[in-house]
Amino acid sequence: MSIYSSTVKTNASNVNIRMKIYYAHHKWKYGTPIEDCEMKCLEKRFENAEIVNPKSLIMQNQTEDMILNDSYRIIDECDILVFSTCSGIIDHDVFNEIIYALNHKKKVYQLYGTECIEILDHDLFVRDVFREFIFRGDNSMYAIVNSPF
């Protein structure tokens, strides 16, 4: 069984309610041209959907637990979570957001280049996609994500 499925362009106007998409990405991308490019990819891929960027909705000067709780509250209001990596690596927050979305039966996609790849199976995703976890001395955790191709 494959855990990935390539997506075709999705027109969110095909539904009566405007689709909301949570854009999970590392804080390193906040305010960068990479973030702008990824937002444009999402806007193109999911026409007429509302792309929810946590950068503009969550106060970053809170504790990590408070930030994650705010993230979970926003994910609950969304239909889909799309995550991106930094050269194949995600941080603890993005990892938790992905697992939370999957556990709450949200559709999850990986932004890979300009493509959105749907994650089809939670258990296989956790088992096969996260190749390795890296722990740093400052209690930071990162996960290396296998390429969908």
Side-chain angles (χ1 to χ4, degrees):
M1 174 181 186
S2 175
I3 58 173
Y4 294 110
S5 172
S6 293
T7 62
V8 294
K9 184 184 267 188
T10 302
N11 188 335
S13 65
N14 292 337
V15 293
N16 294 332
I17 300 171
R18 188 173 184 202
M19 191 174 2
K20 288 178 77 170
I21 299 168
Y22 185 90
Y23 167 44
H25 59 300
H26 196 285
K27 292 176 188 90
W28 293 342
K29 292 184 179 182
Y30 286 9
T32 67
I34 294 170
E35 182 185 51
D36 294 340
C37 178
E38 290 182 349
M39 286 290 291
K40 286 182 177 121
C41 287
L42 295 178
E43 290 165 358
K44 185 175 182 181
R45 181 66 53 196
F46 299 98
E47 289 182 358
N48 301 317
E50 177 184 351
I51 310 300
V52 178
N53 188 339
K55 171 188 81 173
S56 58
L57 296 175
I58 299 173
M59 299 285 295
Q60 298 300 311
N61 60 350
Q62 306 179 79
T63 66
E64 187 172 333
D65 286 343
M66 292 170 73
I67 290 171
L68 275 174
N69 285 333
D70 285 349
S71 298
Y72 297 155
R73 179 184 47 75
I74 296 168
I75 291 168
D76 284 339
E77 298 170 2
C78 292
D79 305 291
I80 293 172
L81 179 141
V82 178
F83 74 94
S84 68
T85 70
C86 289
S87 299
I89 297 175
I90 59 170
D91 70 348
H92 179 260
D93 293 341
V94 173
F95 175 83
N96 283 334
E97 291 167 344
I98 294 167
I99 298 303
Y100 182 87
L102 288 168
N103 285 338
H104 288 83
K105 309 300 184 213
K106 304 288 183 177
K107 286 190 173 197
V108 174
Y109 295 81
Q110 179 179 349
L111 183 60
Y112 189 79
T114 60
E115 296 297 316
C116 287
I117 311 300
E118 184 175 3
I119 308 303
L120 297 175
D121 185 277
H122 171 275
D123 294 333
L124 290 176
F125 179 72
V126 172
R127 187 187 77 210
D128 295 341
V129 173
F130 296 114
R131 184 175 62 208
E132 186 175 345
F133 294 98
I134 302 168
F135 293 92
R136 290 188 355 187
D138 63 358
N139 293 324
S140 297
M141 193 250 332
Y142 299 90
I144 298 175
V145 178
N146 284 324
S147 165
F149 300 106

